[in-house]
Amino acid sequence: MLVEAESFANRGGWKLDTQFIHEMGSPYLLAHGLGRPVADATTTVEVATAGRYRVWVRTKDWVARWQAPGTPGRFQLLVNDKPLSETFGTTGAEWHWQAGGEVELNAGSNRLTLHDLTGFDGRCDAIAFTRSEQSPPNDSAVLPSWRRSALGLPAEPETKGPYDLVVVGGGYSGMGAAISGARMGLKVALIQNRSVLGGNGSSEVRVWAMGLIRRGKYPRIGEIIEEFCDHAKKSPGTYEEFGDAKKEAVVRAEPNIDLFLNTHAFGVEKAVVGNRIEAVTCLDTRTSREFRFTGRFFCDATGHATIGH
Ligand SMILES: Cc1cc2nc3c(=O)[nH]c(=O)nc-3n(C[C@H](O)[C@H](O)[C@H](O)COP(=O)(O)OP(=O)(O)OC[C@H]3O[C@@H](n4cnc5c(N)ncnc54)[C@H](O)[C@@H]3O)c2cc1C
């Protein structure tokens, strides 16, 4: 049985980190507490057959690559409120399945808790319970299909579209492109890998919008951004000043936009002839379910040139 950390029902103070999906194949939970242990993440899993299971936690000691001591990212796993004796985040410079010994699981509901010990960036990608002594695969060529089959996900992504315009990245530029396209009559998919819109200008990052608008030859430039941008009094501003709900409401008011939050684009499909993009492939960062979005035009507003490059 595989439990992705990002699927935990209650993440407590753990944050969903989507930055390294292209390197490790999955988002993960991060205990970023600036030295103060973050609140527990909890979830309940259903088990068909009671019995003893081996426990594996996909994690790493994030300072080991520099041979630095101290294992700052330590955390515990509690099963039905009892901590396992192994402390996680304490071995290996690379992501791997750290062995957690054996545990008794009940038939029916079992409660899992991630308990941060340090507040210094403990990382948990997934938890596996196995009957065999063999670790789940670490090989990146095998792990994605193992994950899909363990989660009961389809082998092929579900297709969405076709759209006239597929915008990847829901920061200010992606929101502007999507709204502008939609108002000109295009059917638009707006794909954003966070649960909120705004990117740097969201409550998650809080960089204020102080760009110049209505410039020279472009007297109307910036007007769409004005509809949803923050008016923070300083940078970084407060959570409330960034109005996540308002941003989402402005986008959802556009009948021509389909908004896909918590959706991370990780690949492109190109035409057989030429260098044209025909689809982007994405995964739902909470469920790992994959989708492909087809379209005529694609806009890379990721801030990283992930799609265009
Ligand atoms: C420290 C700092 C200070 C700044 N100060 C100012 C300032 O004072 N005034 C000012 O006007 N500007 C400032 N800026 C610049 C401004 O914040 C940026 O120009 C602006 O936010 C860029 O918007 P964007 O939409 O292009 O990118 P972002 O805001 O980065 O948005 C990109 C979005 O795409 C999402 N994304 C990324 N990859 C994927 C993917 N593969 N799939 C799906 N979604 C994805 C990201 O999660 C993000 O939400 C500052 C920037 C920084 C970093």
Side-chain angles (χ1 to χ4, degrees):
M1 180 177 64
L2 174 66
V3 184
E4 293 281 6
E6 57 270 22
S7 74
F8 266 49
N10 164 25
R11 291 186 193 143
W14 293 68
K15 299 287 179 212
L16 181 70
D17 194 334
T18 48
Q19 290 181 89
F20 299 104
I21 293 176
H22 61 288
E23 285 173 23
M24 53 175 288
S26 172
Y28 61 90
L29 290 189
L30 177 75
H32 185 58
L34 294 171
R36 289 214 182 110
V38 305
D40 292 348
T42 57
T43 201
T44 302
V45 293
E46 296 299 316
V47 173
T49 314
R52 286 194 83 67
Y53 288 79
R54 283 194 174 269
V55 187
W56 309 89
V57 174
R58 194 155 190 261
T59 181
K60 66 177 178 177
D61 169 11
W62 66 272
V63 301
R65 66 193 298 190
W66 302 287
Q67 284 97 41
T71 57
R74 294 189 300 285
F75 64 95
Q76 289 175 304
L77 173 64
L78 283 68
V79 177
N80 293 323
D81 301 322
K82 288 200 201 108
L84 304 188
S85 56
E86 181 75 6
T87 300
F88 296 98
T90 53
T91 60
E94 301 299 332
W95 286 96
H96 67 289
W97 293 99
Q98 184 172 347
E102 289 191 11
V103 72
E104 197 74 32
L105 294 180
N106 308 319
S109 298
N110 291 266
R111 184 176 149 87
L112 305 182
T113 305
L114 289 176
H115 180 64
D116 175 31
L117 294 172
T118 63
F120 274 125
D121 298 326
R123 287 142 209 250
C124 180
D125 170 23
I127 301 157
F129 296 94
T130 64
R131 291 289 206 182
S132 90
E133 292 187 3
Q134 204 182 347
S135 154
N138 281 308
D139 181 349
S140 59
V142 182
L143 186 56
S145 58
W146 181 86
R147 274 188 205 267
R148 268 199 298 278
S149 121
L151 294 170
L153 296 174
E156 297 299 325
E158 182 190 326
T159 298
K160 304 262 185 198
Y163 288 95
D164 298 313
L165 175 65
V166 177
V167 179
V168 182
Y172 281 21
S173 57
M175 291 174 71
I179 293 171
S180 163
R183 289 180 185 170
M184 288 193 282
L186 302 182
K187 185 72 191 155
V188 180
L190 175 56
I191 298 167
Q192 161 70 338
N193 63 4
R194 307 300 302 173
S195 61
V196 295
L197 290 163
N200 283 333
S202 70
S203 67
E204 292 189 314
V205 185
R206 305 184 198 172
V207 172
W208 61 0
M210 294 288 279
L212 297 173
I213 60 172
R214 299 196 179 86
R215 308 306 295 162
K217 284 193 212 159
Y218 308 101
R220 302 199 60 194
I221 197 160
E223 286 183 359
I224 288 179
I225 303 295
E226 267 190 325
E227 292 179 35
F228 56 76
C229 73
D230 62 276
H231 296 284
K233 298 197 174 43
K234 60 176 186 172
S235 191
T238 63
Y239 173 91
E240 292 73 21
E241 281 172 325
F242 285 84
D244 296 331
K246 180 180 174 191
K247 290 187 173 77
E248 190 173 331
V250 168
V251 168
R252 291 211 188 270
E254 295 296 330
N256 275 345
I257 299 182
D258 289 341
L259 174 61
F260 298 90
L261 294 173
N262 303 298
T263 304
H264 178 84
F266 65 88
V268 297
E269 291 172 24
K270 289 202 286 188
V272 181
V273 180
N275 205 23
R276 196 166 48 81
I277 294 174
E278 291 194 323
V280 292
T281 40
C282 302
L283 62 80
D284 185 313
T285 58
R286 300 154 303 176
T287 63
S288 301
R289 186 174 284 272
E290 291 184 8
F291 301 92
R292 60 192 283 278
F293 292 80
T294 58
R296 269 201 307 149
F297 296 106
F298 293 83
C299 169
D300 184 339
T302 62
H304 308 294
T306 311
I307 305 304
H309 185 62

